[in-house]
Amino acid sequence: MTKYSQIAIVDSMTPRSVEYYEKLKKVGVNDVIVTLSRSGYSSYSEIAEIHTDIARRLDMRVHAALSTDLKSPFHDARHFFSVYKYLGYNFGSKTMIMCHPDGNVKNQAKNLHELLGYISYFVNKDDLDVAISKDYLDEGVINLEDIPDYFNLTIINPDKLNAGVDRAGTWIYTEYFEDEIQLLGYDYYGFYTGQSNQLTLDTEYVAQEGDTWVTIATRYGVWLPKLLDINDAKYEDLVVPGQHIKKKKKKERVPEEAS
């Protein structure tokens, strides 16, 4: 059983030391998403520069993140781009829009679309990721339909069995690492890591943490209704880590005719 590739989101709470990053690498984290700017903070670039430098020195893949409260899309995009350019992030870099909607902001969905429009001027749409807490979706602060499905979707749903949203391409499964506040996630389809799991000839797959029927079907190119039928399962059934999932039916042995 091979675990999904992992990513780490780093910000002002993340230790700025080579030793800490080496610990991340030891547990399989080779892709770091650096928070370059955050709504309401003007000095974030200094922190971002340190994290970017350490990750690059350790030959880790570095991606960019904007943490936004969705109050001022234009200001957020302008400040983010200035740091993005200053630190040498290039067109083709993956970019995460981390949403922490301010409760006093009306029309969060409209502001999110506006922000994504601004960012799309210098980041390819195929390289954009929208990250949001599942709690915000559950509370209706932002609806899933408000996030265009051509963007990758990262769901923050720590300490649960899975992301809780089938559309999730990335799942933030924990907020802690080495007694530090640290967001770590599984990159289901290789959006950040570029590592996808190839279809094998095995008839069974051993489920791992974070799996759902949708992620397994997508991962192995099996039509979802067929996967459910093969496993005598219902869509709403949970997938438990360690569970053996059939990917195709075993050929039935045809009895020989009596001579």
Side-chain angles (χ1 to χ4, degrees), residues 91-111:
F91 190 81
S93 299
K94 301 296 184 182
T95 297
M96 173 183 283
I97 307 300
M98 176 78 76
C99 299
H100 300 286
D102 186 296
N104 296 317
V105 177
K106 296 181 179 180
N107 300 319
Q108 286 97 339
K110 175 178 176 295
N111 285 6

Short mmCIF file of all heavy atoms in Angstrom, two decimals, residues 91-111:
data_model
loop_
_atom_site.label_atom_id
_atom_site.label_comp_id
_atom_site.label_asym_id
_atom_site.label_seq_id
_atom_site.Cartn_x
_atom_site.Cartn_y
_atom_site.Cartn_z
N PHE A 91 5.50 32.02 -13.84
CA PHE A 91 4.30 31.50 -14.48
C PHE A 91 4.46 29.99 -14.63
O PHE A 91 5.45 29.52 -15.18
CB PHE A 91 4.11 32.15 -15.85
CG PHE A 91 2.77 31.85 -16.48
CD1 PHE A 91 1.66 32.58 -16.11
CD2 PHE A 91 2.64 30.86 -17.44
CE1 PHE A 91 0.42 32.32 -16.69
CE2 PHE A 91 1.42 30.60 -18.02
CZ PHE A 91 0.30 31.32 -17.64
N GLY A 92 3.54 29.22 -14.11
CA GLY A 92 3.67 27.77 -14.10
C GLY A 92 3.77 27.24 -12.68
O GLY A 92 3.60 26.04 -12.45
N SER A 93 4.06 28.16 -11.71
CA SER A 93 4.07 27.75 -10.31
C SER A 93 2.64 27.48 -9.85
O SER A 93 1.71 28.16 -10.25
CB SER A 93 4.67 28.86 -9.43
OG SER A 93 6.00 29.13 -9.78
N LYS A 94 2.46 26.45 -9.02
CA LYS A 94 1.15 26.19 -8.45
C LYS A 94 0.85 27.25 -7.39
O LYS A 94 1.75 27.67 -6.65
CB LYS A 94 1.11 24.80 -7.81
CG LYS A 94 1.43 23.66 -8.76
CD LYS A 94 0.40 23.54 -9.87
CE LYS A 94 0.69 22.33 -10.74
NZ LYS A 94 -0.26 22.20 -11.88
N THR A 95 -0.40 27.68 -7.33
CA THR A 95 -0.78 28.74 -6.40
C THR A 95 -2.06 28.37 -5.66
O THR A 95 -3.07 28.03 -6.28
CB THR A 95 -0.98 30.07 -7.14
OG1 THR A 95 0.27 30.47 -7.72
CG2 THR A 95 -1.45 31.16 -6.19
N MET A 96 -2.00 28.46 -4.34
CA MET A 96 -3.16 28.17 -3.50
C MET A 96 -3.79 29.47 -3.01
O MET A 96 -3.10 30.36 -2.52
CB MET A 96 -2.73 27.33 -2.28
CG MET A 96 -3.83 27.12 -1.24
SD MET A 96 -3.25 26.20 0.22
CE MET A 96 -3.21 24.53 -0.41
N ILE A 97 -5.12 29.57 -3.14
CA ILE A 97 -5.87 30.67 -2.56
C ILE A 97 -6.53 30.12 -1.30
O ILE A 97 -7.52 29.38 -1.37
CB ILE A 97 -6.94 31.21 -3.54
CG1 ILE A 97 -6.30 31.57 -4.89
CG2 ILE A 97 -7.64 32.43 -2.93
CD1 ILE A 97 -5.23 32.61 -4.83
N MET A 98 -5.95 30.45 -0.15
CA MET A 98 -6.45 29.94 1.13
C MET A 98 -7.52 30.90 1.66
O MET A 98 -7.23 32.05 1.99
CB MET A 98 -5.30 29.84 2.12
CG MET A 98 -5.69 29.44 3.53
SD MET A 98 -6.00 27.69 3.72
CE MET A 98 -4.33 27.05 3.72
N CYS A 99 -8.77 30.43 1.72
CA CYS A 99 -9.89 31.30 2.09
C CYS A 99 -10.25 31.20 3.57
O CYS A 99 -10.54 30.11 4.07
CB CYS A 99 -11.12 30.94 1.25
SG CYS A 99 -10.89 31.15 -0.52
N HIS A 100 -10.22 32.35 4.23
CA HIS A 100 -10.69 32.48 5.61
C HIS A 100 -11.69 33.64 5.61
O HIS A 100 -11.36 34.75 6.05
CB HIS A 100 -9.53 32.78 6.57
CG HIS A 100 -8.48 31.72 6.60
ND1 HIS A 100 -8.67 30.51 7.21
CD2 HIS A 100 -7.23 31.69 6.06
CE1 HIS A 100 -7.58 29.77 7.09
NE2 HIS A 100 -6.71 30.45 6.38
N PRO A 101 -12.89 33.44 5.08
CA PRO A 101 -13.85 34.54 4.88
C PRO A 101 -14.17 35.30 6.16
O PRO A 101 -14.44 34.71 7.20
CB PRO A 101 -15.09 33.83 4.34
CG PRO A 101 -14.59 32.54 3.79
CD PRO A 101 -13.45 32.15 4.67
N ASP A 102 -14.12 36.62 6.07
CA ASP A 102 -14.52 37.48 7.18
C ASP A 102 -16.04 37.44 7.28
O ASP A 102 -16.75 37.63 6.29
CB ASP A 102 -14.04 38.91 6.91
CG ASP A 102 -14.29 39.84 8.09
OD1 ASP A 102 -15.47 40.06 8.42
OD2 ASP A 102 -13.31 40.34 8.67
N GLY A 103 -16.53 37.20 8.50
CA GLY A 103 -17.96 37.08 8.70
C GLY A 103 -18.75 38.33 8.37
O GLY A 103 -19.97 38.27 8.15
N ASN A 104 -18.08 39.49 8.34
CA ASN A 104 -18.78 40.75 8.06
C ASN A 104 -18.84 41.07 6.56
O ASN A 104 -19.43 42.07 6.17
CB ASN A 104 -18.08 41.90 8.79
CG ASN A 104 -18.16 41.74 10.29
OD1 ASN A 104 -19.21 41.40 10.83
ND2 ASN A 104 -17.05 41.99 10.98
N VAL A 105 -18.19 40.22 5.76
CA VAL A 105 -18.15 40.47 4.32
C VAL A 105 -19.38 39.85 3.65
O VAL A 105 -19.68 38.67 3.84
CB VAL A 105 -16.88 39.86 3.69
CG1 VAL A 105 -16.89 40.06 2.18
CG2 VAL A 105 -15.64 40.51 4.29
N LYS A 106 -20.09 40.67 2.91
CA LYS A 106 -21.22 40.16 2.13
C LYS A 106 -20.70 39.70 0.77
O LYS A 106 -19.68 40.16 0.28
CB LYS A 106 -22.27 41.25 1.95
CG LYS A 106 -22.91 41.71 3.26
CD LYS A 106 -23.96 42.78 3.00
CE LYS A 106 -24.61 43.23 4.31
NZ LYS A 106 -25.63 44.29 4.08
N ASN A 107 -21.42 38.77 0.18
CA ASN A 107 -21.08 38.27 -1.15
C ASN A 107 -19.66 37.70 -1.23
O ASN A 107 -18.86 38.08 -2.08
CB ASN A 107 -21.24 39.38 -2.20
CG ASN A 107 -22.65 39.92 -2.28
OD1 ASN A 107 -23.60 39.15 -2.23
ND2 ASN A 107 -22.78 41.23 -2.41
N GLN A 108 -19.35 36.78 -0.29
CA GLN A 108 -18.02 36.16 -0.30
C GLN A 108 -17.74 35.46 -1.64
O GLN A 108 -16.62 35.52 -2.16
CB GLN A 108 -17.89 35.13 0.83
CG GLN A 108 -17.74 35.75 2.21
CD GLN A 108 -19.07 35.81 2.94
OE1 GLN A 108 -20.13 35.76 2.31
NE2 GLN A 108 -19.01 35.92 4.26
N ALA A 109 -18.77 34.82 -2.19
CA ALA A 109 -18.60 34.11 -3.45
C ALA A 109 -18.22 35.07 -4.57
O ALA A 109 -17.33 34.79 -5.38
CB ALA A 109 -19.87 33.34 -3.81
N LYS A 110 -18.88 36.22 -4.62
CA LYS A 110 -18.57 37.23 -5.63
C LYS A 110 -17.13 37.71 -5.48
O LYS A 110 -16.39 37.85 -6.47
CB LYS A 110 -19.53 38.40 -5.50
CG LYS A 110 -19.25 39.58 -6.43
CD LYS A 110 -20.28 40.66 -6.25
CE LYS A 110 -19.97 41.89 -7.10
NZ LYS A 110 -18.71 42.55 -6.69
N ASN A 111 -16.71 37.96 -4.24
CA ASN A 111 -15.35 38.43 -4.01
C ASN A 111 -14.31 37.36 -4.34
O ASN A 111 -13.22 37.66 -4.83
CB ASN A 111 -15.19 38.88 -2.55
CG ASN A 111 -15.86 40.21 -2.28
OD1 ASN A 111 -16.54 40.76 -3.16
ND2 ASN A 111 -15.69 40.74 -1.09
#
